[in-house]
Amino acid sequence: MELFQYLIMMKYWEVIVLGRTILSGKRNKNTIPVNLGRILIFCEGATEKYYLEYFADIIRKNKFNDIKVEIESANGNASRVFHFAEAFLEDENNNRKYHNYKKYLVFDCDAPPNIQKIILQMLSSNDKLELLISNYLFEVWLLMHFEDVETKMTKKEIYNRLSDHLKETYGKASQGIIREIIQNGSVEDAINNAEKLVNKYKVSGKDIKSNIGEMNPFSNMHFLIEQIMSVIS
């Protein structure tokens, strides 16, 4: 086999496998490859950006799929990332460039205190923003790569559980730690675990429009990640 062909084959294998992230039939769903299209994601912090850019780098920009990730700041909160997104899209050049992109906001629920009000403002935005929420922290979604997350935990407890799985102290996420979580954990399990929580709250009549304070733990990151996995698997 020629070297070029071999490298191509190995690159496709890396994309498909992603450690243990193959979406197998055990989800009892017919995973049909989809065209992800063009999406623009606004994140409140670096951890979310590292995570999403891991997948963006795999998909790469092409004729059919493109993921663009914007970050508000390393110390943002839900309100700040929302206003950042609004200002970004009010810019004439940005609005023209990303007019046909589907737009997402990725944020935690630890701040500000009036998070429910902020969520309602986001949902009523003229920019038609899709919300990807983690409560209490984005690390709840990361922990779902290793285990079911069914009970409310403090930030310290979440970090300690991640540290146990990573065999090193989890403090501030880096690109290396994110890569380790994705490759040594299971994206498929994270999707399943998040989906179970969403269904649990749905059965009890709770939703993000009215009850986010009661929905802890919670993450709906799987709404986007499942689409991404369908494209690359």
Side-chain angles (χ1 to χ4, degrees), residues 43-48 70-77 80-81 84:
C43 301
E44 74 171 67
T47 302
E48 296 93 328
E70 291 286 342
I71 185 172
E72 193 280 328
S73 77
N75 298 300
N77 64 36
R80 286 176 61 181
V81 74
F84 171 75

Side-chain angles (χ1 to χ4, degrees), residues 128-145:
K128 298 179 181 179
L129 302 166
E130 298 284 337
L131 310 187
L132 297 177
I133 304 171
S134 296
N135 195 14
Y136 170 61
L137 301 167
F138 184 74
E139 279 76 8
V140 165
W141 166 252
L142 298 183
L143 186 57
M144 289 180 184
H145 289 64

Side-chain angles (χ1 to χ4, degrees), residues 11 14-15 18 36-41 43 47-62 64-70 101 175 178 182 187 221 224-225 227-229 231-232:
K11 185 61 181 175
E14 175 189 353
V15 169
L18 280 176
L36 183 65
R38 301 181 184 277
I39 63 176
L40 175 63
I41 307 173
C43 301
T47 302
E48 296 93 328
K49 182 177 175 69
Y50 292 147
Y51 184 90
L52 290 161
E53 285 193 335
Y54 180 96
F55 297 102
D57 287 344
I58 293 173
I59 288 177
R60 301 184 185 281
K61 187 171 183 179
N62 58 51
F64 302 106
N65 301 298
D66 181 29
I67 299 178
K68 173 69 173 175
V69 183
E70 291 286 342
Y101 279 58
Q175 290 173 307
I178 290 299
I182 293 172
V187 175
M221 280 296 300
L224 175 59
I225 300 305
Q227 294 178 59
I228 292 174
M229 291 302 297
V231 169
I232 66 180

Side-chain angles (χ1 to χ4, degrees), residues 40 82 89 99 101-105 121-131:
L40 175 63
F82 173 47
L89 295 170
H99 179 72
Y101 279 58
K102 191 169 185 179
K103 301 165 185 72
Y104 291 87
L105 286 181
Q121 291 175 356
M122 293 173 175
L123 290 172
S124 63
S125 169
N126 292 330
D127 294 315
K128 298 179 181 179
L129 302 166
E130 298 284 337
L131 310 187

